[in-house]
Amino acid sequence: MPATSSASTIGGLPPETLDAVVIGGGAAGLNGALMLARSRRSVVVIDSGTPRNAPAAGVHGLLALDGTPPAELLERGRAEVRRYGATVVTGEVIKAAPAEPSAVGDPRFTVTLADGATLHARRLLVATGLRDVLPDVPGLAEHWGRGLVHCPYCHGWEVRDEPIGVLATGPASVHQALLFRQLTDDLVYFTRGTQLDDDARVRFAARGIRVVGTAVEQVVATDDGGVAGVRLADGQLVARRVLTVATTMLPRTEGLEDLGLPTADLPHGMGRHVATGMAGTTDVPGVWVAGNASDPSAQVGASAAAGALAGAHLNADLVTADTAAALA
């Protein structure tokens, strides 16, 4: 049965061993918690309150909810999860680690929060998302999520027909440029010292993509805070209204080091991700991972679906363990 909060614990969190603690309160974590709570599992969701898409005006590509502000979508999700008896709290996990298993070998974990609260759980669902690392270009970071975008499916329609500049970071930028060319006839590719082979140059020429090899010095803003253009090392200002960049994507695993989650490199130097198997399983017994931490390309809908699948798989694993304990 769902656990109830106890005022005797720090932060009013339940003192008993929970069926699951979900670390991360985005789409993946909340949908995983929803599946668990609807299966009458005791669940606590720890939400840091810093979702990847916080700067965005709306969530896109999500059927029937396209354009919904991210904060509104998450608030509705938290309300749905709580409706089934789960607890959602704002907090930062500073340590999650394996604990002594049960007498029959069922996994156990302790999760410590920054405010000193400690939770005990049989299973963990890690849905912490990822961190986008931007290239070190003066004036660039302040436009993130508005005049600076990264995903044509998340933001493409909103920047259609604008003069767009691609700030290259590596091989992935070539593919990104071709995707954004679908959305505008005015696209400039700033190589920024990266290699552009003959094949890519031929394709760019065929699609009318202008290539600029001069070093980028800074991003220049308009008086109202938008993007005015890109200043080159020779002093030239290339007017642009929108910039796009392939970020380096790194999973948020701070505080989770003791779990020993396996990570792997993404192709083309795009970053790293947590390596998972079917339904978010990992090499660590009792730990599942869902969402952008394991699949950096997943939009909100795909992250939510991955969380739901992981939650269902996690519940089935608990059912197996409960049955084995009953037999013992």
Side-chain angles (χ1 to χ4, degrees):
M1 293 291 290
T4 57
S5 297
S6 169
S8 64
T9 61
I10 296 176
L13 294 173
E16 69 270 22
T17 297
L18 298 155
D19 287 322
V21 167
V22 178
I23 305 174
L30 288 175
N31 220 9
L34 183 65
M35 297 294 280
L36 289 162
R38 282 177 51 82
S39 296
R40 309 188 77 176
R41 294 295 179 184
S42 55
V43 185
V44 170
V45 180
I46 309 299
D47 181 9
S48 70
T50 56
R52 181 189 187 193
N53 62 358
V59 171
H60 295 291
L62 186 60
L63 188 64
L65 293 171
D66 187 80
T68 304
E72 178 184 330
L73 187 71
L74 293 178
E75 182 55 40
R76 291 168 63 177
R78 289 190 287 268
E80 289 179 354
V81 168
R82 288 175 173 134
R83 186 187 310 157
Y84 292 100
T87 300
V88 183
V89 298
T90 301
E92 178 188 357
V93 174
I94 60 172
K95 184 176 183 180
E100 188 70 24
S102 72
V104 294
D106 196 42
R108 294 290 187 270
F109 302 91
T110 58
V111 179
T112 305
L113 307 187
D115 64 1
T118 299
L119 294 167
H120 306 278
R122 301 172 63 193
R123 303 291 186 273
L124 297 181
L125 173 56
V126 174
T128 48
L130 61 80
R131 181 174 70 257
D132 291 287
V133 180
L134 298 172
D136 186 16
V137 176
L140 180 66
E142 50 262 44
H143 299 288
W144 180 241
R146 300 179 302 278
L148 172 63
V149 299
H150 73 292
C151 172
Y153 304 108
C154 304
H155 314 287
W157 176 263
E158 286 65 40
V159 302
R160 68 194 185 280
D161 297 327
E162 294 282 6
I164 298 176
V166 179
L167 299 178
T169 57
S173 298
V174 173
H175 180 60
Q176 184 184 43
L178 291 168
L179 290 175
F180 272 92
R181 175 60 182 82
Q182 171 65 22
L183 302 163
T184 182
D185 294 331
D186 186 356
L187 190 71
V188 175
Y189 186 89
F190 300 92
T191 61
R192 296 185 61 251
T194 62
Q195 296 298 314
L196 194 61
D197 61 28
D198 291 341
D199 178 65
R201 290 183 182 276
V202 168
R203 286 184 288 158
F204 280 8
R207 296 305 309 272
I209 297 172
R210 176 186 167 196
V211 177
V212 173
T214 307
V216 170
E217 187 172 86
Q218 69 176 119
V219 173
V220 179
T222 61
D223 291 339
D224 62 0
V227 174
V230 175
R231 180 79 66 189
L232 304 180
D234 62 8
Q236 178 188 1
L237 177 67
V238 181
R240 298 289 90 187
R241 290 288 296 163
V242 176
L243 298 175
T244 182
V245 62
T247 65
T248 300
M249 297 173 286
L250 301 174
R252 291 180 172 181
T253 55
E254 296 80 9
L256 309 181
E257 294 83 0
D258 288 350
L259 295 177
L261 294 172
T263 61
D265 289 332
L266 294 168
H268 308 303
M270 294 174 63
R272 295 184 65 79
H273 70 117
V274 179
T276 58
M278 183 186 69
T281 55
T282 71
D283 291 342
V284 183
V287 181
W288 278 253
V289 179
N292 282 156
S294 57
D295 183 2
S297 66
Q299 290 184 264
V300 171
S303 290
L309 184 60
H313 199 277
L314 194 158
N315 175 64
D317 185 67
L318 286 168
V319 166
T320 299
D322 292 341
T323 303
L327 289 170

